[in-house]
Amino acid sequence: MRELSAPAKVLVALVTALVTLPLLWSAAGSDTTFDDPGVAIDPAAAFGMPRRGGPEAKVVVIGIDGLLCDKADRAQAPRLRHLAAQGLLSRGSIAGHITVSGPSWASVLTGVWDTAHGITGNEFDASPFLAYPSVFTRIERADPTRHTVSIGTWHQIATIAASGDRRADVALTTSPDPRDSDEALTDATTATEVVAAIERSGPDLVFTHLDQVDLAGHQHGGASRAYLAAIRRVDVLVGQIVAAVDRRAAEHPREQWTVLVTTDHGHLPTGGHGGQTPAETANFVIARGADFTSGTTTSAYTLIDITPTVLDLLGVPPGRLDGHSLRTRRAAIDER
């Protein structure tokens, strides 16, 4: 074949580059997964484009440590009861799972059981969340422009939120109040910070952890007046957080807010947990939002379904999880 002249070679090279570049760009863009095959990059977020029109999903998850749902009924906690009546209430069981805070909150925030993430107690580091990413990591991987916040009374919540290759934008632990013998003041500060975060920036996900009910269970027992008093105090804080959500939603009509509430384990009448009695394995989930019919009751959901539900609401692929979204398992629901 006759050899091209130098100017012709330059022209051919230029044309080839112009044709090939879009193909290379397309090939690179088609490989959108990280180490978790179920988590994909949002192309709009990756290239700085705004998300398309429609409601902006926002989620608040309130974790109340050591709360027995039937005791909330006995304490006549009006805000929790009203919240449950406005949406879905599931009273389930986590039998077979370790009924300790560390394993349970790790399962709440990863969507996999203790048999997967391997946490068995309250002392753990960030390493389990490399193989089993937290809900914060999954959201931030899918869309780094999402704003995710964790504010908790227990320091290990921040350990989870600040783990992984993508982390919560905010991972705070409330400093203990030196005057606080029952954690009421510390929890109140936590709730105040959560309210401020909601009102200030309207994060896509806010997770908060309140601890005083569990402390009352340990100090006085799940059958004690002190335990019921702690529930009533936390009920007030839940009301403050939900009121902040409702104010924010009224001021920003495009934002569609969902509130989820759960616990990590129950408590023995005499105090303590970690075993497999019904009082220790009792679990509940409350879900209030546009996707949940008022007055719905079921036993189908537990703490393991929180992360899948958050991801579903925010439009993030869940990957391989043990839990399921509260929006999809309709067959298991019994209408009142």
Side-chain angles (χ1 to χ4, degrees), residues 88-108:
L88 176 148
L89 171 63
S90 177
R91 298 174 186 254
S93 171
I94 55 171
H97 172 77
I98 301 173
T99 56
V100 174
S101 293
S104 290
W105 290 121
S107 290
V108 169

Side-chain angles (χ1 to χ4, degrees), residues 248-263:
R248 176 82 193 187
E251 294 167 1
H252 299 79
R254 289 191 65 244
E255 296 179 359
Q256 184 168 289
W257 286 83
T258 299
V259 178
L260 305 175
V261 185
T262 195
T263 190

Side-chain angles (χ1 to χ4, degrees), residues 189-233:
T189 300
T190 297
T192 298
E193 292 298 323
V194 170
V195 168
I198 292 169
E199 293 180 336
R200 182 171 55 247
S201 59
D204 297 287
L205 170 63
V206 180
F207 179 87
T208 188
H209 168 272
L210 305 172
D211 200 51
Q212 64 185 289
V213 174
D214 183 57
L215 182 62
H218 282 292
Q219 292 181 337
H220 306 284
S224 67
R225 292 181 179 179
Y227 185 79
L228 297 181
I231 293 173
R232 286 190 286 270
R233 290 194 300 268

Side-chain angles (χ1 to χ4, degrees), residues 95-215:
H97 172 77
I98 301 173
T99 56
V100 174
S101 293
S104 290
W105 290 121
S107 290
V108 169
L109 291 171
T110 62
V112 299
W113 291 114
D114 54 358
T115 50
H117 58 61
I119 295 172
T120 59
N122 290 336
E123 298 300 323
F124 57 88
D125 59 20
S127 58
F129 308 104
L130 296 175
Y132 298 96
S134 75
V135 64
F136 304 102
T137 298
R138 292 179 182 274
I139 293 168
E140 295 289 346
R141 282 179 176 178
D143 184 350
T145 68
R146 297 272 199 183
H147 186 40
T148 56
V149 172
S150 171
I151 304 172
T153 295
W154 189 40
H155 71 283
Q156 288 289 53
I157 300 299
T159 298
I160 301 171
S163 69
D165 58 346
R166 301 275 185 171
R167 306 174 180 185
D169 295 305
V170 176
L172 299 178
T173 300
T174 304
S175 298
D177 192 307
R179 303 166 295 165
D180 213 358
S181 61
D182 54 12
E183 290 189 310
L185 296 174
T186 306
D187 272 355
T189 300
T190 297
T192 298
E193 292 298 323
V194 170
V195 168
I198 292 169
E199 293 180 336
R200 182 171 55 247
S201 59
D204 297 287
L205 170 63
V206 180
F207 179 87
T208 188
H209 168 272
L210 305 172
D211 200 51
Q212 64 185 289
V213 174
D214 183 57
L215 182 62

